[in-house]
Amino acid sequence: MGGSVRDLLLGKAPKDFDVATSATPEEVQAVFPRCRLIGRRFRLAHVRKRGALIEVATFRARFDADDDESQHASGRILRDNVFGTVEEDALRRDFTINALFLDPVSGDIRDYVGGYQDMADRRLRLIGDPDVRYHEDPVRLLRAARFVAKLGVEPDEDTARRMPELAPLLQGVPPARLFEETCKLFMTGHGMRSMEALQRFGLSVTLFPGLRGGAGPGKIQLGVLLRHALENTDERVRTAKPVTPAFLYAALLWSSLDERARAFVQKGDPEYVAIMRAAEEAIAEQARRTAIPRRFSAVTRQIWLLQPRFAKTRGKRWKRLLYEDRFRAGYDFLLLRAKEDPSLEPLCEFWTKAQENMEAPPAAARSSERRRDRPRRRYRRKAPSAG
Ligand code: ATP
Ligand code: MG
């Protein structure tokens, strides 16, 4: 059901199969004793079968609008645990193309909302009144942008019209959930298209409040560096290379960081101190909207702090930089900066050659090298919070 049926119809391999059932989570657990019941806002059962993790959700009815407990004053849904029929379950889903069910017994597709035709027409359509549905869960604005980017569908007039105007609703969504969405937007192979969709629907400034406004409501200035970063990330996903939100945030917030750091330098701070202070501010501002877990923001900061050190190529001390933690990420970031500022190209060349001529690491540097050999924690897609 949901995303997996949609992906099957599109001829894409679904990354997971979600199961919907009339059984309650407790009844599911009675059949699969080893499953885990998870979620608060949206309770479901995680069943493990042959190494695969299957999300099993009980059919939901539309939540009860009179129940103050389950709804925020803004109309936002806080809990969604009222069980219902399969048809009711289809109706409370977000988009029609996400509301298709595959009946495992008959093999039929059950469509209560016209999702099959919308799929054929490549149309993205919210189920019900868009105004109500966006208020219930503003993340649907971002999901719309993501499906446009990922599936090449186009929102219909009603689904698209008020998106720029409703974008500020995202300010009421918990930052941790917005971080997850940001990762799905930018780290899954269609980051550039996601950014274009966010721009088109006027959502970018709300998601990245520290960035300069661009040409048009809700847009940001999309510079050369950021474009290249998004394209590189997409390319790395295509070629199955690891990607990390730390690098993405380094690129996203670079203009904000750079501007702030320059201001601190002008007030007399040494460059390193200026970058530290600027990083603190830039990251804090972003984290109020999309949380940035510390294990990522720490690396983002390291990438930035390496930048002024790349400029110091005289004497002998520069060699040590080659063995620094995060040298490679910092170097990649330098290459990115050179796309925007060609005067950095000689520096890039210097560091490219330096790596080619790299000798065995000096004893002092080797310990930090060894630390790098540890399997590093990388971003992994977590189970979606919304079921
Ligand atoms: P993906 O390919 O990213 O997994 P998906 O559509 O499967 O996309 P999930 O977050 O895995 O997205 O959600 C599974 C299904 O749950 C969706 O297809 C949709 O039917 C429903 N759903 C998810 N989030 C929401 C939401 N915010 N509001 C309503 N329904 C939702
Ligand atoms: Mg899914």
Side-chain angles (χ1 to χ4, degrees):
M1 48 126 268
S4 38
V5 178
R6 176 199 69 211
D7 291 347
L8 282 175
L9 289 176
L10 280 172
K12 296 186 185 222
K15 63 176 180 303
D16 46 26
F17 284 91
D18 305 319
V19 173
T21 170
S22 57
T24 65
E26 286 72 21
E27 286 167 347
V28 172
Q29 190 161 46
V31 181
F32 303 99
R34 283 183 45 226
C35 85
R36 290 190 343 134
L37 302 188
I38 64 157
R40 199 176 127 78
R41 201 174 64 86
F42 194 98
R43 286 177 56 225
L44 44 84
H46 268 175
V47 180
R48 287 200 175 277
K49 269 280 163 220
R50 289 190 217 100
L53 183 67
I54 302 169
E55 284 188 2
V56 181
T58 308
F59 296 143
R60 253 61 168 188
R62 288 285 306 261
F63 71 101
D64 181 359
D66 296 333
D67 174 5
D68 293 345
E69 284 266 292
S70 65
Q71 205 182 9
H72 191 263
S74 65
R76 190 154 62 83
I77 296 181
L78 302 177
R79 261 188 274 290
D80 186 6
N81 286 318
V82 182
F83 303 137
T85 64
V86 58
E87 186 163 358
E88 285 171 321
D89 191 73
L91 290 175
R92 61 102 203 154
R93 286 170 187 278
D94 48 5
F95 302 98
T96 61
I97 58 170
N98 282 346
L100 297 169
F101 294 83
L102 182 65
D103 184 328
V105 180
S106 67
D108 294 339
I109 286 178
R110 300 239 213 135
D111 178 8
Y112 302 95
V113 292
Y116 193 85
Q117 190 57 47
D118 285 341
M119 188 83 267
D121 298 339
R122 294 289 186 273
R123 184 166 50 235
L124 187 70
R125 188 158 58 89
L126 264 176
I127 300 168
D129 177 353
D131 204 44
V132 174
R133 303 306 311 278
Y134 284 136
H135 275 87
E136 277 175 6
D137 182 6
V139 170
R140 288 171 186 153
L141 293 161
L142 298 179
R143 287 175 59 84
R146 177 155 65 88
F147 295 128
V148 165
K150 175 181 162 175
L151 307 171
V153 292
E154 263 304 301
D156 74 337
E157 166 67 19
D158 285 344
T159 299
R161 194 178 337 109
R162 297 199 57 207
M163 287 176 77
E165 196 185 322
L166 297 179
L169 290 175
L170 288 166
Q171 291 165 8
V173 177
R177 185 154 175 237
L178 291 185
F179 174 73
E180 272 181 46
E181 276 307 314
T182 306
C183 289
K184 289 190 195 175
L185 280 161
F186 294 112
M187 318 285 303
T188 56
H190 48 78
M192 189 61 218
R193 291 164 52 113
S194 289
M195 183 57 93
E196 282 163 1
L198 291 173
Q199 291 277 72
R200 184 145 76 90
F201 303 131
L203 303 172
S204 339
V205 159
T206 315
L207 206 53
F208 306 112
L211 303 190
R212 281 244 178 113
K219 296 189 185 188
I220 56 166
Q221 264 177 31
L222 192 48
V224 176
L225 184 144
L226 188 47
R227 277 176 192 281
H228 276 276
L230 293 170
E231 276 160 12
N232 287 355
T233 305
D234 289 346
E235 178 59 23
R236 290 181 69 91
V237 173
R238 255 194 302 281
T239 51
K241 289 189 187 147
V243 291
T244 164
F247 195 86
L248 175 77
Y249 275 104
L252 274 166
L253 302 180
W254 173 252
S255 58
S256 161
L257 178 280
D258 197 37
E259 231 167 81
R260 289 169 204 269
R262 279 170 206 274
F264 283 128
V265 166
Q266 215 141 58
K267 282 189 215 146
D269 278 341
E271 198 171 26
Y272 191 85
V273 176
I275 293 181
M276 281 294 269
R277 295 176 71 176
E280 227 45 68
E281 286 186 8
I283 289 172
E285 181 172 37
Q286 181 58 40
R288 279 196 292 275
R289 188 61 34 83
T290 67
I292 313 176
R294 195 163 291 280
R295 64 181 186 279
F296 299 129
S297 63
V299 177
T300 301
R301 202 177 282 120
Q302 280 176 297
I303 291 171
W304 288 337
L305 283 168
L306 282 170
Q307 299 310 309
R309 298 178 60 191
F310 284 120
K312 302 194 170 74
T313 55
R314 279 168 219 237
K316 281 186 180 166
R317 289 171 53 121
W318 61 265
K319 276 198 180 177
R320 279 198 225 160
L321 200 57
L322 290 168
Y323 307 103
E324 278 288 328
D325 262 4
R326 312 298 169 196
F327 168 83
R328 185 66 207 194
Y331 164 79
D332 285 343
F333 199 78
L334 178 67
L335 298 186
L336 208 54
R337 288 173 57 212
K339 300 278 188 200
E340 196 158 80
D341 176 2
S343 76
L344 292 171
E345 270 162 23
L347 215 49
C348 294
E349 227 167 278
F350 175 92
W351 288 104
T352 307
K353 287 229 174 73
Q355 289 174 81
E356 285 162 7
N357 303 331
M358 210 163 147
E359 306 147 13
R366 227 171 288 152
S367 62
S368 79
E369 174 74 354
R370 196 163 303 132
R371 253 187 291 136
R372 252 196 297 167
D373 290 341
R374 254 188 345 211
R376 230 177 285 157
R377 266 209 268 183
R378 296 214 167 96
Y379 165 68
R380 237 172 245 124
R381 199 182 164 278
K382 276 193 292 182
S385 56

